[in-house]
Amino acid sequence: MKTILILIIFFCNYLPFINNGYCQNLINQNIGNYYDNIVSESSLPLYNGKFYNDIYKTKSDTIHPFLKKDFISGSVTYENQFYQNVNIKFDIYKDNLLINPKNKSNVFTLILDKSKVENFNFLNKTFINIDYKKYSNSKSFSGFFEYIPIQNNFELLVKYNKENEKVIFNEKLIDEFYYSQNFYIVVDNKIHKFNSKKDAIEIFKKNKSDINTFYRKNKYKEKNNPVMFKIELLNLLKSNSK
């Protein structure tokens, strides 16, 4: 690992045709891996969280408080330190990030201190802790949001939620979870609600006709893939505002 890191640094410094941004990301990742190999996992700040106790009783494995039930490999920036190849699970009911240390049973799960998580990546998604962003009204919001930049003009934020309800099933009290998403966009460094057509028209008054047409033609996508629906709407608004 040390030899690989030295070679990467050498090539990045002495071969002018290599992209500097790409090199810096590669160096950061390999430094993180080298550091993790030197320091025992149990002593890293990332692995000093509280133990997670799954207290929910559901009628099937498909019902749970997570974005995805299984642990999935991803990366986390925690206390200004970047970690990759981390087993991640996102509890969207409690808005907590859970990790499973390597070579441990899935029963061994830790809850990270949310205030120390700057961002994390998994499922090909980037999530930010809104407390680390300096939006003009960010203090009115809290927790983790999926972060989707729309070129240079807009930033789409997606808040994933699950609500819990106790129900009777086979004469037993069990948990049901109901999934939802809330959308926001950042315009001029301010967060705006972006759930409905009314919200979009309120922000982009000059584009009312375009918004009405887009909603009318894309009802299926709005229902079945709302994230892509919002991305395509914002790309349309961006191109029409030129």
Side-chain angles (χ1 to χ4, degrees):
M1 177 62 72
K2 182 178 180 181
T3 302
I4 294 173
L5 181 58
I6 291 172
L7 287 172
I8 291 172
I9 294 172
F10 172 81
F11 284 119
C12 286
N13 285 335
Y14 294 101
L15 295 181
F17 56 84
I18 295 181
N19 181 273
N20 287 335
Y22 172 78
C23 272
Q24 191 58 57
N25 288 334
L26 198 58
I27 290 171
N28 288 342
Q29 290 178 8
N30 279 274
I31 286 175
N33 284 340
Y34 181 53
Y35 178 72
D36 289 352
N37 286 331
I38 293 174
V39 182
S40 66
E41 193 173 77
S42 60
S43 66
L44 293 172
L46 183 68
Y47 297 100
N48 290 327
K50 296 179 180 178
F51 288 106
Y52 173 79
N53 182 24
D54 189 350
I55 60 173
Y56 307 109
K57 299 183 184 300
T58 61
K59 63 183 177 183
S60 77
D61 288 341
T62 60
I63 301 172
H64 52 78
F66 311 110
L67 186 59
K68 292 291 182 181
K69 182 174 176 59
D70 297 326
F71 280 100
I72 297 171
S73 181
S75 62
V76 184
T77 301
Y78 188 79
E79 288 192 315
N80 298 316
Q81 173 70 40
F82 176 75
Y83 300 87
Q84 63 177 356
N85 301 321
V86 179
N87 294 325
I88 290 174
K89 188 185 286 189
F90 184 18
D91 179 349
I92 59 174
Y93 171 54
K94 293 289 189 181
D95 198 40
N96 281 323
L97 185 61
L98 312 180
I99 63 167
N100 169 233
K102 298 170 187 174
N103 303 317
K104 296 287 187 180
S105 163
N106 284 354
V107 176
F108 189 88
T109 302
L110 300 175
I111 307 172
L112 295 185
D113 183 341
K114 187 187 303 183
S115 67
K116 297 178 180 179
V117 179
E118 182 176 349
N119 57 64
F120 61 95
N121 294 267
F122 83 136
L123 296 170
N124 295 315
K125 302 177 188 292
T126 297
F127 293 85
I128 61 167
N129 185 339
I130 204 72
D131 291 339
Y132 284 79
K133 302 294 282 188
K134 298 187 181 300
Y135 301 129
S136 62
N137 59 338
S138 58
K139 290 185 178 180
S140 300
F141 300 85
S142 64
F144 298 121
F145 293 75
E146 184 185 0
Y147 176 80
I148 306 172
I150 310 296
Q151 297 189 27
N152 296 323
N153 291 59
F154 310 125
E155 298 166 38
L156 178 64
L157 304 177
V158 187
K159 185 68 174 177
Y160 295 90
N161 308 288
K162 280 193 177 180
E163 296 297 324
N164 174 256
E165 182 182 355
K166 301 289 185 180
V167 298
I168 301 294
F169 179 74
N170 287 343
E171 300 182 350
K172 294 181 181 179
L173 191 64
I174 65 169
D175 293 279
E176 285 282 359
F177 290 95
Y178 303 97
Y179 174 78
S180 65
Q181 296 169 316
N182 284 300
F183 294 89
Y184 304 87
I185 61 166
V186 180
V187 180
D188 296 328
N189 203 45
K190 184 177 181 180
I191 302 171
H192 302 262
K193 187 170 66 171
F194 197 59
N195 282 321
S196 65
K197 180 170 68 173
K198 181 180 178 182
D199 294 334
I201 292 173
E202 180 65 27
I203 300 166
F204 303 100
K205 294 181 175 65
K206 294 181 180 179
N207 301 95
K208 181 177 180 179
S209 177
D210 294 328
I211 293 169
N212 281 327
T213 300
F214 186 84
Y215 268 84
R216 186 176 67 253
K217 291 183 176 180
N218 293 278
K219 291 180 180 180
Y220 179 84
K221 184 172 289 184
E222 180 188 8
K223 180 179 179 180
N224 293 280
N225 193 348
V227 174
M228 185 55 63
F229 175 87
K230 300 293 186 185
I231 291 172
E232 292 181 0
L233 173 58
L234 285 174
N235 281 325
L236 171 70
L237 294 172
K238 181 183 183 301
S239 63
N240 287 356
S241 64
K242 291 180 180 180

